[in-house]
Coordinates of all heavy atoms in Angstrom, one line a residue:
F22 N 34.9 118.0 18.3 CA 35.2 116.7 17.9 C 34.1 116.2 16.9 O 33.0 116.6 16.8 CB 35.3 115.7 19.1 CG 34.0 115.3 19.7 CD1 33.1 114.3 19.2 CD2 33.5 116.0 20.9 CE1 32.0 114.0 19.8 CE2 32.3 115.6 21.5 CZ 31.5 114.6 21.0
D23 N 34.6 115.2 16.1 CA 33.7 114.5 15.2 C 34.3 113.0 15.0 O 35.4 112.8 15.6 CB 33.7 115.2 13.8 CG 32.8 114.5 12.8 OD1 31.8 114.0 13.1 OD2 33.3 114.3 11.6
S24 N 33.6 112.2 14.3 CA 34.1 110.9 14.0 C 35.3 110.9 13.1 O 36.0 109.9 13.0 CB 33.0 110.0 13.4 OG 32.6 110.5 12.2
G25 N 35.4 112.0 12.3 CA 36.5 112.0 11.3 C 36.7 113.4 10.8 O 36.9 114.4 11.5
L26 N 36.5 113.5 9.4 CA 36.7 114.7 8.7 C 35.6 115.8 8.8 O 35.8 117.0 8.7 CB 36.9 114.4 7.2 CG 38.2 113.8 6.8 CD1 38.0 113.1 5.4 CD2 39.3 114.8 6.7
G27 N 34.4 115.3 9.0 CA 33.2 116.2 8.9 C 33.3 117.4 9.8 O 33.0 118.5 9.4
G28 N 33.7 117.2 11.0 CA 33.7 118.3 12.0 C 34.7 119.4 11.6 O 34.6 120.5 12.1
L29 N 35.6 119.1 10.6 CA 36.5 120.2 10.1 C 35.7 121.3 9.5 O 36.1 122.4 9.4 CB 37.5 119.6 9.2 CG 38.5 118.7 9.8 CD1 39.4 118.1 8.7 CD2 39.4 119.4 10.8
T30 N 34.5 121.0 8.9 CA 33.7 122.1 8.3 C 33.2 123.0 9.4 O 33.1 124.2 9.2 CB 32.4 121.5 7.6 OG1 31.6 120.7 8.5 CG2 32.9 120.6 6.4
V31 N 33.0 122.5 10.6 CA 32.6 123.4 11.8 C 33.9 124.1 12.3 O 33.9 125.3 12.6 CB 32.0 122.5 12.9 CG1 31.6 123.4 14.1 CG2 30.7 121.8 12.3
Y46 N 41.1 120.1 17.9 CA 40.2 119.2 17.1 C 40.5 117.8 17.4 O 41.7 117.4 17.4 CB 40.3 119.5 15.6 CG 39.3 118.8 14.8 CD1 38.0 119.3 14.6 CD2 39.6 117.6 14.2 CE1 37.1 118.6 13.8 CE2 38.7 116.9 13.4 CZ 37.5 117.4 13.3 OH 36.5 116.7 12.5
D49 N 37.8 111.1 15.4 CA 37.9 109.7 15.9 C 38.0 108.7 14.7 O 37.2 107.8 14.5 CB 36.7 109.4 16.8 CG 37.0 108.2 17.6 OD1 38.1 107.6 17.6 OD2 36.0 107.8 18.4
R52 N 37.6 104.9 14.8 CA 36.2 104.3 15.1 C 35.1 104.8 14.2 O 34.0 104.5 14.4 CB 35.9 104.6 16.5 CG 37.0 104.0 17.5 CD 36.6 104.1 18.9 NE 36.4 105.4 19.5 CZ 36.4 105.6 20.8 NH1 36.6 104.6 21.6 NH2 36.3 106.9 21.3
T53 N 35.5 105.7 13.1 CA 34.5 106.2 12.2 C 34.0 105.0 11.4 O 34.8 104.1 11.1 CB 35.2 107.3 11.3 OG1 34.1 108.0 10.7 CG2 36.1 106.8 10.3
P54 N 32.8 105.0 10.9 CA 31.8 106.0 11.1 C 31.0 105.8 12.4 O 30.9 104.6 12.9 CB 30.8 105.8 9.9 CG 30.9 104.3 9.6 CD 32.4 104.0 9.9
Y55 N 30.4 106.8 12.9 CA 29.5 106.7 14.1 C 28.1 106.4 13.6 O 27.3 105.8 14.4 CB 29.5 108.1 14.8 CG 30.7 108.3 15.7 CD1 31.8 107.5 15.7 CD2 30.7 109.4 16.5 CE1 32.9 107.8 16.5 CE2 31.8 109.7 17.3 CZ 32.9 108.9 17.3 OH 34.0 109.2 18.1
G56 N 27.7 106.9 12.4 CA 26.3 106.8 12.0 C 25.7 105.4 11.9 O 24.5 105.3 11.8
T57 N 26.6 104.4 11.8 CA 26.0 103.1 11.7 C 26.0 102.3 13.1 O 25.7 101.2 13.2 CB 26.9 102.2 10.7 OG1 28.3 102.4 11.2 CG2 26.8 102.8 9.3
K58 N 26.5 103.0 14.1 CA 26.6 102.4 15.5 C 25.4 102.6 16.3 O 24.5 103.5 16.0 CB 27.8 103.0 16.2 CG 29.1 103.0 15.4 CD 30.0 101.9 15.7 CE 31.4 101.8 15.0 NZ 31.7 102.5 13.8
V63 N 27.7 105.3 20.5 CA 28.0 106.7 20.2 C 28.1 107.6 21.5 O 29.0 108.4 21.6 CB 27.0 107.3 19.2 CG1 27.3 108.8 18.9 CG2 27.0 106.5 17.9
M84 N 30.3 119.7 19.8 CA 30.1 118.3 19.2 C 29.8 118.6 17.7 O 28.7 118.8 17.4 CB 28.9 117.6 19.9 CG 29.2 117.2 21.3 SD 28.0 115.9 21.8 CE 26.6 117.0 22.2
A85 N 30.9 118.6 16.9 CA 30.7 118.9 15.5 C 30.3 117.6 14.7 O 30.8 117.3 13.6 CB 32.0 119.5 15.0
C86 N 29.3 116.9 15.3 CA 28.9 115.7 14.7 C 27.4 115.5 15.0 O 27.0 115.6 16.2 CB 29.7 114.5 15.4 SG 29.1 112.9 15.1
N87 N 26.6 115.4 14.0 CA 25.1 115.3 14.2 C 24.8 114.0 14.9 O 23.8 114.0 15.7 CB 24.4 115.4 12.8 CG 24.4 116.7 12.2 OD1 23.4 117.4 12.3 ND2 25.5 117.1 11.6
T88 N 25.5 113.0 14.6 CA 25.2 111.7 15.2 C 25.4 111.7 16.7 O 24.5 111.4 17.4 CB 26.1 110.6 14.6 OG1 26.0 110.7 13.1 CG2 25.7 109.2 15.0
A89 N 26.5 112.3 17.1 CA 26.7 112.4 18.6 C 25.7 113.4 19.1 O 25.1 113.2 20.2 CB 28.2 112.9 18.8
S90 N 25.5 114.5 18.4 CA 24.5 115.6 18.9 C 23.1 115.0 19.1 O 22.4 115.3 20.0 CB 24.5 116.7 17.9 OG 25.7 117.4 17.8
S91 N 22.8 114.1 18.2 CA 21.4 113.6 18.2 C 21.2 112.6 19.4 O 20.1 112.4 19.9 CB 21.0 113.0 16.9 OG 21.7 111.9 16.6
V108 N 25.1 120.6 17.1 CA 25.0 121.2 15.7 C 23.5 121.1 15.1 O 23.3 121.6 14.0 CB 26.0 120.5 14.7 CG1 27.4 121.0 15.0 CG2 25.9 119.0 14.7
I109 N 22.6 120.5 15.9 CA 21.3 120.3 15.3 C 20.4 121.5 15.5 O 19.8 121.9 14.5 CB 20.7 119.0 16.0 CG1 21.5 117.8 15.5 CG2 19.2 118.9 15.6 CD1 21.1 116.5 16.2
I128 N 18.8 115.2 5.5 CA 19.6 114.0 5.2 C 20.6 113.9 6.3 O 21.1 114.9 6.9 CB 20.3 114.0 3.8 CG1 21.0 115.3 3.6 CG2 19.2 113.8 2.7 CD1 21.8 115.3 2.3
G129 N 20.9 112.6 6.7 CA 21.9 112.4 7.8 C 22.3 111.0 7.8 O 22.0 110.2 7.0
T130 N 23.0 110.6 8.9 CA 23.4 109.2 9.0 C 22.2 108.4 9.5 O 21.2 109.0 10.0 CB 24.6 109.1 10.1 OG1 24.1 109.5 11.3 CG2 25.8 109.9 9.7
R131 N 22.3 107.1 9.5 CA 21.2 106.3 9.9 C 20.9 106.6 11.4 O 19.7 106.7 11.8 CB 21.6 104.8 9.8 CG 20.5 103.9 9.5 CD 20.9 102.6 9.0 NE 20.7 102.4 7.6 CZ 21.5 101.7 6.8 NH1 22.6 101.2 7.3 NH2 21.3 101.6 5.5
A132 N 21.9 106.7 12.2 CA 21.7 107.0 13.7 C 20.9 108.3 13.9 O 20.0 108.4 14.7 CB 23.0 107.0 14.4
T133 N 21.3 109.3 13.1 CA 20.7 110.6 13.3 C 19.2 110.6 12.8 O 18.3 111.1 13.5 CB 21.5 111.7 12.5 OG1 22.8 111.8 13.0 CG2 20.8 113.1 12.5
Y139 N 15.6 115.7 14.4 CA 15.4 116.8 13.5 C 13.9 117.0 13.4 O 13.4 118.2 13.5 CB 16.0 116.6 12.2 CG 17.4 117.1 12.1 CD1 18.5 116.2 12.2 CD2 17.6 118.4 12.0 CE1 19.8 116.7 12.1 CE2 18.9 118.9 11.9 CZ 20.0 118.1 12.0 OH 21.3 118.6 11.9
C157 N 21.6 108.5 4.6 CA 22.5 108.4 3.4 C 23.8 107.7 3.9 O 24.9 108.4 3.9 CB 22.8 109.8 2.8 SG 21.3 110.7 2.4
P158 N 23.8 106.5 4.3 CA 24.9 105.9 5.0 C 26.2 105.8 4.1 O 27.3 105.7 4.6 CB 24.5 104.5 5.4 CG 23.2 104.3 4.6 CD 22.6 105.6 4.3
L160 N 27.5 108.2 2.2 CA 28.2 109.4 2.0 C 29.4 109.7 2.9 O 30.4 110.2 2.4 CB 27.2 110.6 2.1 CG 26.0 110.6 1.1 CD1 25.3 111.9 1.1 CD2 26.5 110.3 -0.3
V161 N 29.3 109.2 4.1 CA 30.4 109.5 5.0 C 31.7 108.7 4.6 O 32.7 109.3 4.4 CB 30.1 109.1 6.5 CG1 31.3 109.1 7.4 CG2 29.1 110.2 7.0
P162 N 31.5 107.4 4.3 CA 32.7 106.7 3.7 C 33.3 107.3 2.4 O 34.5 107.3 2.2 CB 32.3 105.2 3.5 CG 31.0 105.1 4.2 CD 30.4 106.5 4.5
E165 N 35.3 110.3 3.6 CA 36.5 109.8 4.3 C 37.5 109.3 3.2 O 38.7 109.4 3.4 CB 36.2 108.8 5.3 CG 35.4 109.4 6.5 CD 36.2 110.2 7.5 OE1 37.4 110.0 7.7 OE2 35.6 111.2 8.0
L195 N 21.5 119.7 5.7 CA 22.6 118.8 5.7 C 22.8 118.3 7.1 O 23.5 119.0 7.9 CB 23.8 119.4 5.1 CG 23.7 120.0 3.7 CD1 25.0 120.6 3.2 CD2 23.1 119.0 2.7
G196 N 22.2 117.2 7.5 CA 22.2 116.8 8.9 C 23.4 115.9 9.3 O 23.3 115.0 10.1
C197 N 24.5 116.2 8.7 CA 25.7 115.5 9.0 C 26.9 116.4 8.6 O 26.8 117.0 7.5 CB 25.8 114.2 8.1 SG 27.4 113.3 8.3
T198 N 27.8 116.6 9.4 CA 28.9 117.6 9.2 C 29.8 117.2 8.0 O 30.6 118.0 7.6 CB 29.7 117.9 10.5 OG1 30.1 116.7 11.0 CG2 28.8 118.6 11.5
H199 N 29.7 115.9 7.6 CA 30.5 115.5 6.4 C 29.9 116.1 5.1 O 30.6 116.2 4.1 CB 30.5 114.0 6.3 CG 31.6 113.3 7.2 ND1 31.4 113.3 8.5 CD2 32.7 112.6 6.9 CE1 32.5 112.6 9.0 NE2 33.2 112.2 8.0
Y200 N 28.6 116.3 5.1 CA 27.9 116.6 3.9 C 28.3 117.9 3.2 O 28.2 118.1 2.0 CB 26.4 116.5 4.0 CG 25.9 115.1 4.4 CD1 24.5 114.8 4.7 CD2 26.8 114.0 4.5 CE1 24.1 113.6 5.1 CE2 26.3 112.7 4.9 CZ 25.0 112.5 5.2 OH 24.5 111.3 5.5
P201 N 28.6 119.0 4.0 CA 29.0 120.2 3.4 C 30.2 120.1 2.4 O 30.4 120.8 1.5 CB 29.3 121.2 4.6 CG 28.5 120.6 5.7 CD 28.5 119.2 5.5
Ligands
LIG14 N1 30.0 113.8 10.7 C1 29.2 113.1 11.6 C2 27.8 113.5 11.7 O1 27.6 114.7 11.5 C3 29.5 111.6 11.8 C4 29.3 110.8 10.6 C5 29.6 109.3 10.9 O2 30.6 109.1 11.5 O3 28.8 108.4 10.5 O4 26.9 112.8 11.8

Side-chain angles (χ1 to χ4, degrees):
F22 76 82
D23 180 40
S24 65
L26 285 161
L29 290 174
T30 58
V31 178
Y46 183 85
D49 197 3
R52 304 189 292 199
T53 193
Y55 282 6
T57 51
K58 310 263 183 334
V63 177
M84 289 197 279
C86 171
N87 286 260
T88 308
S90 298
S91 64
V108 288
I109 292 172
I128 53 173
T130 65
R131 209 167 257 144
T133 298
Y139 269 104
C157 307
L160 299 189
V161 168
E165 293 286 327
L195 304 184
C197 172
T198 52
H199 279 69
Y200 299 173

